[in-house]
């Protein structure tokens, strides 16, 4: 793979540094406006479709949390960049048969949306912990904020969260972290994330440790922070448009 010239690399690093700083300024301002001083959310840079070289550059700029949504791409990058001490977040829909692969590299899974997936993950994490001694896998329940749950962005209806949470909480090797959602297209992100905050509060009432809220992307991070996001998933505003592939 051609990584480009030294000049090209320096230019790309400078571009990433500028974009990352701009997003961090937005986050800091939103945290201030929300009255959440001292509660800066974890920034997960979603690196899907971008090369491992960009993740190396981001790591050099201080990024420690990266997100991917395809197992084949994520596992390859995680193996190549194993020495960087990164936390890998899987943020896409996951087939149960991919559980064995994901638990080899993922720090967190943001898209638990069915009981069968929990079963697969529990089996996979048990085998991986026996093999390597890895820690628990943080699991976020993906909630659909659409009226017709699951039809657009994926996830379970709010009414299904308690059952899934009970199963996750009881699963060895899996840690119920909290909830995740994507604001529905064509609607107010503020209304969507206010709804998610209420779902989170109900979950925390039953599972006090499940306080995490994974919400907010490039276009709506301010609204997410206003309503309590603890993890932000930012891609295009840091990495730019997807590179040409094929």
């Amino acid at each position: 793979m051609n990584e480009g010239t030294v000049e090209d690399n320096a230019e790309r690093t400078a571009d990433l540094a500028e974009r990352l700083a701009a997003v961090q300024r937005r986050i800091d301002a939103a945290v201030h406006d929300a009255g959440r001083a001292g509660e800066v959310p974890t920034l997960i840079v979603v690196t899907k479709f971008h090369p491992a070289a960009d993740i190396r550059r981001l790591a050099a700029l201080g990024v420690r949390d990266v997100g991917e949504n395809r197992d084949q791409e994520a596992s390859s990058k995680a193996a190549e960049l194993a020495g960087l001490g990164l936390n890998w977040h899987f943020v896409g829909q996951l087939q149960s048969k991919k559980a064995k692969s994901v638990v080899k590299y993922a720090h967190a899974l943001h898209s638990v949306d069915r009981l069968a997936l929990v079963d697969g993950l529990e089996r996979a994490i048990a085998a991986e912990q026996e093999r390597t001694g890895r820690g628990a896998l943080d699991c976020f329940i993906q909630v659909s904020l659409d009226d017709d749950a699951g039809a657009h962005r994926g996830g379970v209806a709010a009414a299904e969260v308690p059952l899934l949470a009970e199963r996750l909480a009881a699963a060895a090797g899996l840690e119920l972290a909290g909830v995740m959602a994507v604001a529905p297209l064509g609607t107010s992100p503020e209304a969507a994330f206010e709804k998610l905050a209420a779902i989170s509060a109900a979950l925390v009432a039953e599972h006090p440790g499940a306080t995490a809220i994974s919400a907010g992307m490039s276009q709506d991070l301010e609204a997410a922070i206003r309503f309590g996001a603890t993890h932000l998933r930012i891609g295009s505003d840091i990495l730019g448009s997807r590179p040409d592939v094929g």
Side-chain angles (χ1 to χ4, degrees):
M1 179 179 177
N2 182 8
E3 297 288 357
T5 67
V6 172
E7 183 177 352
D8 289 340
N9 290 337
E11 184 177 351
R12 178 58 171 162
T13 299
D15 178 53
L16 289 173
E18 183 178 343
R19 287 173 171 274
L20 180 62
V23 167
Q24 289 174 331
R25 287 194 295 271
R26 286 176 61 193
I27 293 170
D28 290 344
V31 167
H32 177 269
D33 291 345
R36 294 181 58 191
E39 298 179 23
V40 179
T42 297
L43 171 60
I44 302 165
V45 182
V46 180
T47 53
K48 61 182 181 181
F49 306 121
H50 291 271
D54 275 347
I55 303 176
R56 287 189 185 278
R57 296 179 182 108
L58 289 167
L61 294 169
V63 169
R64 287 294 172 264
D65 294 87
V66 296
E68 292 282 339
N69 73 340
R70 298 190 304 178
D71 172 61
Q72 184 174 358
E73 182 177 355
S75 60
S76 174
K77 289 177 178 176
E80 181 177 347
L81 304 172
L84 296 182
L86 297 170
N87 295 321
W88 293 87
H89 298 253
F90 194 86
V91 299
Q93 300 304 116
L94 183 66
Q95 296 175 299
S96 297
K97 66 182 181 181
K98 296 289 188 179
K100 288 182 181 180
S101 177
V102 167
V103 300
K104 286 179 168 60
Y105 61 83
H107 167 79
L109 175 62
H110 290 242
S111 51
V112 177
D113 59 359
R114 60 196 186 280
L115 292 171
L117 179 57
V118 179
D119 294 342
L121 288 168
E122 186 176 27
R123 290 191 296 269
I125 198 74
E128 188 65 15
Q129 287 183 325
E130 183 175 351
R131 187 176 74 89
T132 67
R134 67 151 291 164
L137 176 69
D138 287 345
C139 292
F140 293 74
I141 296 173
Q142 183 174 358
V143 184
S144 173
L145 301 178
D146 290 293
D147 291 334
D148 47 347
H152 301 295
R153 297 282 201 156
V156 300
E160 298 175 51
V161 170
L163 179 60
L164 200 50
E166 286 294 337
R167 178 68 186 91
L168 269 172
L174 305 180
E175 188 73 27
L176 174 60
V179 293
M180 181 276 257
V182 179
L185 296 170
T187 63
S188 161
E190 287 81 6
F193 294 141
E194 184 175 21
K195 180 178 179 180
L196 183 63
I199 294 168
S200 172
L203 176 66
V204 172
E206 297 297 324
H207 303 276
T211 57
I213 300 176
S214 173
M217 299 189 293
S218 292
Q219 70 274 16
D220 55 23
L221 68 86
E222 287 86 359
I225 290 172
R226 178 182 173 191
F227 288 102
T230 62
H231 294 70
L232 306 169
R233 310 180 308 274
I234 311 298
S236 59
D237 273 12
I238 293 173
L239 285 148
S241 59
R242 296 175 182 176
D244 292 334
V245 295

